[in-house]
């Protein structure tokens, strides 16, 4: 709920109704806005009216691990993805009962994984493994926006047993399973990926918060570092390009790029 702003209301003008006034019923519900009252002086603003830039937090979202909690700001990717998938106003409008959320759910497991503190391959520490920072284009397709959100946490959405589940690509304990004539049905083949499918350099584009949120390119392994994978491939360079529109931390981009490359190996 948001009340109307008195400075934009038609009663603020002593001379009567102001031209372009909002009116008492115009509240801007669900919209973040700022009203600035500036006194213009040529001697102060010698270059004209100044540009004003704002840094603001995102929308209040549900806690995907505790759906009874009040909505609040969160940069945890699991919370942001859940919010987008269930929102009827700006998201996909999926009913909550079709989401695998709440305690001990796939979304709560992903939320905890994102919130873990880690040391990235370049040696820097992160308070949170993954964070989600960015904005969505309302004119883009819902699936396209969802795919962009998923890049922030190495996530995938699957539909299983009547529910949408958030699965993350991450290291787990290896499991063994013996294939034999008792459990193989029909013919099967296995082919290891060739060098053209195994990257030894990953180029990532992310948004750098330290450089006024401008897109920045980074390469993994870093240029000044030895590249054992390139050496193992006989110096044959095979590059992969990825987009990380919801990652604003260079070290977090390092980690995602390093994991992406290892997956191809």
């Amino acid at each position: 709920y948001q009340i109307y702003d008195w400075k934009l209301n038609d009663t603020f003008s002593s001379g009567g109704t102001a031209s372009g006034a909002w009116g008492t019923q115009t509240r801007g519900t669900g919209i973040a806005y700022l009203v600035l009252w500036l006194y213009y002086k040529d001697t102060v603003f010698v270059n004209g009216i100044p540009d004003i830039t704002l840094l603001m937090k995102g929308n209040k979202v549900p806690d995907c691990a505790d759906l009874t909690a009040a909505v609040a700001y969160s940069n945890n990717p699991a919370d942001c993805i859940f919010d987008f998938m269930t929102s009827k106003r700006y998201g996909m409008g999926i009913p909550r009962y079709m989401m695998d959320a709440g305690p001990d759910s796939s979304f709560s497991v992903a939320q905890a994984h994102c919130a873990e503190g880690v040391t990235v391959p370049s040696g820097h520490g992160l308070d949170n493994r993954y964070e989600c920072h960015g904005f969505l284009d309302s004119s883009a397709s819902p699936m396209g926006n969802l795919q962009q959100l998923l890049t922030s946490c190495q996530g995938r959405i699957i539909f299983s047993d009547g529910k949408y589940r958030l699965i993350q690509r991450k290291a787990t304990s290896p499991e063994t399973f013996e294939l034999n004539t008792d459990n193989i049905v029909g013919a099967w083949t296995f082919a290891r990926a060739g060098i053209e499918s195994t990257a030894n350099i990953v180029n990532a584009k992310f948004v750098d918060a330290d450089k006024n949120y401008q897109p920045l390119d980074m390469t993994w392994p870093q240029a000044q570092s030895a590249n054992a994978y390139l050496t193992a491939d006989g110096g044959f360079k095979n590059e992969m390009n990825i987009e990380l529109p919801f990652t604003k931390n260079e070290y977090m981009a390092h980690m995602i790029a390093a994991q992406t490359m290892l997956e191809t190996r």
Side-chain angles (χ1 to χ4, degrees):
Y1 179 78
Q2 186 161 264
I3 63 174
Y4 65 87
D5 190 285
W6 70 271
K7 287 188 177 180
L8 298 180
N9 179 251
D10 58 10
T11 61
F12 81 90
S13 174
S14 59
T17 301
S19 175
W22 278 27
T24 58
Q25 299 305 312
T26 306
R27 299 172 178 172
T29 302
I31 299 173
Y33 66 89
L34 176 70
V35 178
L36 295 174
W37 198 257
L38 302 177
Y39 292 90
Y40 184 75
K41 293 182 66 175
D42 291 339
T43 55
V44 176
F45 301 107
V46 293
N47 295 318
I49 298 176
D51 293 330
I52 298 171
T53 302
L54 302 178
L55 181 62
M56 61 182 183
K57 291 183 176 180
N59 189 44
K60 292 182 178 180
V61 298
D63 181 344
C64 65
D66 182 5
L67 300 181
T68 64
V71 294
Y73 169 75
S74 172
N75 58 28
N76 189 294
D79 292 331
C80 297
I81 292 168
F82 176 85
D83 176 63
F84 178 75
M85 292 184 69
T86 56
S87 173
K88 295 180 180 180
R89 184 164 65 89
Y90 49 78
M92 305 177 80
I94 298 174
R96 286 193 174 188
Y97 71 83
M98 296 182 66
M99 303 292 293
D100 184 41
D104 302 319
S105 66
S106 64
F107 271 84
S108 66
V109 171
Q111 182 196 69
H113 184 66
C114 291
E116 291 177 349
V118 295
T119 300
V120 301
S122 55
H124 296 84
L126 294 173
D127 293 334
N128 297 314
R129 183 188 304 273
Y130 297 121
E131 292 182 358
C132 184
H133 299 277
F135 64 92
L136 295 173
D137 183 355
S138 59
S139 65
S141 68
M143 187 59 69
N145 279 331
L146 176 60
Q147 291 299 328
Q148 288 200 352
L149 286 169
L150 289 167
T151 65
S152 65
C153 65
Q154 298 283 78
R156 296 290 183 273
I157 295 294
I158 65 171
F159 188 73
S160 175
D161 295 330
K163 291 183 180 292
Y164 290 96
R165 305 175 189 274
L166 175 57
I167 307 300
Q168 290 176 292
R169 289 147 51 196
K170 58 185 178 181
T172 59
S173 299
E175 298 179 2
T176 58
F177 181 79
E178 180 183 1
L179 293 172
N180 53 49
T181 55
D182 295 327
N183 54 40
I184 297 176
V185 178
W188 67 282
T189 60
F190 173 80
R192 187 171 184 271
I195 189 172
E196 69 279 358
S197 302
T198 53
N200 47 44
I201 295 175
V202 173
N203 302 311
K205 184 183 292 292
F206 70 101
V207 179
D208 193 345
D210 295 330
K211 295 186 177 179
N212 199 26
Y213 291 87
Q214 296 301 309
L216 187 69
D217 295 314
M218 57 80 56
T219 299
W220 185 263
Q222 295 170 287
Q224 67 273 20
S225 302
N227 189 338
Y229 302 103
L230 182 60
T231 302
D233 292 339
F236 180 82
K237 184 182 294 186
N238 188 27
E239 300 184 69
M240 172 184 286
N241 299 317
I242 61 175
E243 301 279 343
L244 303 175
F246 281 84
T247 298
K248 72 168 188 176
N249 184 294
E250 182 176 4
Y251 303 131
M252 201 170 290
H254 286 175
M255 178 173 59
I256 295 175
Q259 291 181 348
T260 300
M261 187 176 71
L262 287 175
E263 288 175 10
T264 72
R265 310 289 304 185

